[in-house]
Amino acid sequence: MDPQLDSLVDALVDGERERSVEIVGELLQGGLRPVDIITGGVERAMAGLDRKCTAEQFNLLEIMLAGRAVMAVIRRLFPEDATLPDPRARVVVAVLEGDIHDIGKAILKILLAGSRFRVIDCGKDVPVSAVVEAVTRSEAAAVCVSGLISSVVPQVRTLKSALSGAGLGDVRVLAGGAALKQCTAATLNVDYVGQTAFDAVSYLESMVEARLGRR
Amino acid sequence: MDAVERIRRTVAFERCDRAPVIAQVFAHAAVATGRTIDEFVSSGAVAAACQLEARARYGYDATFAVLDLTLEAEALGGGIRTRPGVYPAVSRPPFARDADFARTPVPDPRTAGRLPMVLEMAKALRAAPGGAFVVGLVQGPMTLAVQFLGMEEALSLAADDPDRFLELLDFAAAVSEAFGVAQLAEGAHLALVFEPAGSPEVVPPAFFREMIGPRLERLFTSFRRAGALANWLHIAGRTAPILPLYRTLGSDIACFDYCVEPEPLLPKLDGHRVCLAGNVRPLAFVTSTAEEIAAETERLLRLFERRGGFIVSSGCEIPPESREANVAAMVRTAIRWSGSQT
């Protein structure tokens, strides 16, 4: 592996935005293709971040800084639309009506983008119907909802059936965030409850691999 | 033994009749007594009446002089979003990144926004018969800092320009201090410092120790000078790495959330006379049965029987929509517990 790619991985994990972009510039000048920088740099950094951020060590500050560096690198590599090519799947993220705390969603969005998922952000304080509409429009494979306050629990419980009602019963529903992670998947009527944003990414990666394996 | 004496002795690790039970009931007091959350957060008198009625019904040891967690940002001109049936939330931070925090005046708790309602509440709760312990509440410097600027913006500032971030943190600490001292003056026995943004889930423990810790220490010193019976630090989430620091910062009571296992924590607190308050899972009051809550409460009481220095409580706020039978189960189990406090 190119030692400069190793330096990029370290810079990204440490959240050094300017240094990361600088290294990417050097790698491009050296003739490396953007796609190789993604697989050899960004994806390895995301994996390294995942290992570093066990449930006990997960903290928003470090994740946010690393995510900020990853997004700067993606913007440098793909200035047209700031998303990675050849996405693994489309994922809708949302904070449901009644809750306007969206830092958890922002973190998840960054991790998903860095892991080659195409993210459709529904925003915060959105009704279940808007989420269903976004899934229909984007043909997303999954929905991730983040909830900091307990009053959103009743709405989360209705999401799966609202999707089924729209003929989207095979769309996976994931939940996380301070309030929702206290619940079981059965209580929330969702497919999965993640303790951290990385759990959600791992779940979605496994889901994609399983679907590819079935083809 | 009245509630104030029970809590005083427990915090001092002295013998008392039973472990105190402090249900973290805020707006649940409104829901349980037939009022709306909107009524609760709009009037200190109504909120105090709800607190007193709920305490009379459940029988726990403390009432809270708390409305919601937007008061400080609102008093500084932040945008607040209200919606029936849920707490108000900060929809627009009061400051931009380039604000001059060093020159921004601290809002006067006696006149700014709804801050005076909390003072009115503290006074009414303290004056009420029944001898309840009155807990005031301020948000800690880090929590206010992220409210004042927005979470992402505040964390970015901390990373990009630590000196400016410390100015923000100092301003936030001054807001906490003024509000807490005013609550104590009106009758609160203590002013709990609610600092969820200091959790290791938000910032690394070193950040807490070096940037937040010194400001908390000054806050606790000031509260003690203002007559606080004790100091109480409340940080949600996985706080095990920072809990051993609380006592050295001047906190007598430490909340521990549902995700902190007390068994491995206790040896780390050897020699720290910090009273622990917790840690029934907050959402369990909504989703579990009364039997499950009672069993969990009993498990905690048994665990702390020998150590003492324990207050039966939830890991964080008991959600407004909680089942009344569940709150009652925690309180009843604590009151009937036959174990002794040392």
Side-chain angles (χ1 to χ4, degrees):
Chain A
M1 189 64 72
D2 186 332
Q4 258 191 312
L5 275 175
D6 292 338
S7 304
L8 175 61
V9 171
D10 291 344
L12 287 170
V13 171
D14 291 342
E16 294 173 16
R17 180 171 50 176
E18 280 155 27
R19 174 83 186 119
S20 300
V21 173
E22 193 182 299
I23 296 171
V24 165
E26 289 164 9
L27 286 166
L28 288 171
Q29 267 191 339
L32 209 61
R33 295 179 308 158
V35 68
D36 295 326
I37 297 175
I38 292 298
T39 49
V42 174
E43 288 187 9
R44 280 175 59 219
M46 299 307 285
L49 204 57
D50 188 3
R51 279 193 300 276
K52 183 180 173 188
C53 293
T54 61
E56 288 299 318
Q57 290 177 342
F58 182 95
N59 72 78
L60 281 179
L61 177 61
E62 288 178 349
I63 302 296
M64 201 201 76
L65 294 177
R68 203 171 66 159
V70 166
M71 293 312 287
V73 164
I74 292 175
R75 270 194 296 274
R76 173 75 176 83
L77 292 171
F78 306 99
E80 295 301 309
D81 62 356
T83 56
L84 297 180
D86 188 23
R88 287 170 152 149
R90 294 187 184 90
V91 180
V92 167
V93 297
V95 174
L96 293 180
E97 199 167 16
D99 193 351
I100 61 168
H101 306 89
D102 63 351
I103 183 73
K105 176 173 70 63
I107 297 291
L108 177 64
K109 200 173 146 182
I110 290 168
L111 296 185
L112 286 171
S115 304
R116 274 203 299 119
F117 286 92
R118 178 69 55 94
V119 183
I120 298 97
D121 187 352
C122 271
K124 58 190 178 184
D125 199 15
V126 292
V128 166
S129 59
V131 176
V132 174
E133 205 179 299
V135 174
T136 308
R137 220 176 26 242
S138 63
E139 298 179 352
V143 176
C144 297
V145 288
S146 172
L148 183 84
I149 56 174
S150 58
S151 55
V152 294
V153 168
Q155 293 188 75
V156 176
R157 282 177 176 148
T158 66
L159 183 53
K160 190 95 180 145
S161 49
L163 287 165
S164 295
L168 302 164
D170 60 340
V171 171
R172 302 283 176 91
V173 178
L174 288 73
L180 301 183
K181 74 181 184 183
Q182 294 182 43
C183 300
T184 61
T187 309
L188 290 176
N189 188 29
V190 298
D191 295 294
Y192 181 72
V193 176
Q195 292 301 304
T196 72
F198 287 104
D199 293 343
V201 175
S202 299
Y203 178 92
L204 291 170
E205 284 172 342
S206 304
M207 178 193 82
V208 169
E209 277 165 29
R211 285 184 180 175
L212 288 174
R214 279 205 300 272
R215 282 180 194 167
Chain B
M1 186 179 295
D2 71 9
V4 177
E5 180 61 8
R6 182 174 299 118
I7 292 168
R8 191 200 64 75
R9 287 194 189 195
T10 301
V11 170
F13 284 72
E14 293 171 7
R15 180 171 290 278
C16 73
D17 58 345
R18 62 168 171 82
V21 53
I22 301 182
Q24 293 181 54
V25 166
F26 306 159
H28 173 69
V31 176
T33 57
R35 272 85 149 207
T36 65
I37 293 180
D38 315 2
E39 290 172 305
F40 181 86
V41 301
S42 308
S43 161
V46 169
C50 293
Q51 281 285 329
L52 291 168
E53 208 176 308
R55 185 194 178 231
R57 180 182 304 181
Y58 288 123
Y60 42 63
D61 288 305
T63 52
F64 281 87
V66 178
L67 292 177
D68 62 74
L69 302 177
T70 64
L71 303 185
E72 296 92 334
E74 182 187 51
L76 284 158
I80 306 300
R81 198 226 46 194
T82 57
R83 176 167 290 178
V86 295
Y87 280 118
V90 179
S91 55
R92 179 177 42 80
F95 295 106
R97 191 171 169 137
D98 58 356
D100 187 352
F101 302 112
R103 289 173 194 272
T104 305
V106 171
D108 183 346
R110 287 165 212 295
T111 55
R114 288 180 295 143
L115 300 181
M117 290 183 192
V118 173
L119 305 189
E120 178 192 2
M121 200 178 173
K123 191 173 185 175
L125 292 175
R126 183 64 182 265
F133 192 92
V134 180
V135 182
L137 183 145
V138 299
Q139 298 186 85
M142 184 66 190
T143 303
L144 285 182
V146 302
Q147 259 193 11
F148 290 170
L149 215 52
M151 177 73 90
E152 288 181 70
E153 200 63 44
L155 293 180
S156 293
L157 185 66
D160 299 338
D161 193 347
D163 290 340
R164 289 265 304 129
F165 177 74
L166 288 179
E167 277 180 18
L168 166 62
L169 213 51
D170 282 333
F171 171 69
V175 174
S176 303
E177 182 179 359
F179 195 22
V181 167
Q183 290 175 30
L184 292 163
E186 292 299 329
H189 287 99
L190 61 81
L192 178 153
V193 178
F194 185 58
E195 184 68 309
S199 167
E201 293 181 28
V202 180
V203 293
F207 185 106
F208 175 82
R209 194 173 51 244
E210 288 157 26
M211 299 183 101
I212 304 171
R215 280 138 192 104
L216 288 174
E217 194 172 359
R218 287 202 287 274
L219 205 54
F220 288 137
T221 304
S222 171
F223 288 171
R224 198 168 297 278
R225 240 185 252 130
L229 209 90
N231 280 316
W232 185 346
L233 181 56
H234 186 328
I235 303 180
R238 296 187 178 90
T239 50
I242 58 171
L243 261 162
L245 299 171
Y246 288 17
R247 194 71 187 93
T248 56
L249 297 177
S251 181
D252 308 286
I253 307 173
C255 266
F256 65 112
D257 207 347
Y258 75 99
C259 47
V260 177
E261 275 302 321
E263 288 95 333
L265 176 67
L266 288 176
K268 292 181 192 159
L269 295 178
D270 270 355
H272 296 258
R273 302 284 276 184
V274 65
C275 176
L276 292 169
N279 76 338
V280 180
R281 187 165 56 92
L283 216 60
F285 290 92
V286 181
T287 59
S288 295
T289 64
E291 290 72 25
E292 287 165 334
I293 297 283
E296 178 57 14
T297 305
E298 194 173 319
R299 184 183 82 85
L300 289 165
L301 285 160
R302 201 179 300 284
L303 189 69
F304 283 94
E305 194 169 11
R306 286 183 62 190
R307 178 187 188 266
F310 177 60
I311 295 170
V312 176
S313 189
S314 43
C316 201
E317 184 203 354
I318 290 177
E321 69 275 24
S322 295
R323 295 174 183 166
E324 290 173 40
N326 287 354
V327 182
M330 180 178 78
V331 178
R332 191 174 53 243
T333 306
I335 290 174
R336 289 180 184 169
W337 179 251
S338 57
S340 63
Q341 290 273 289
T342 52

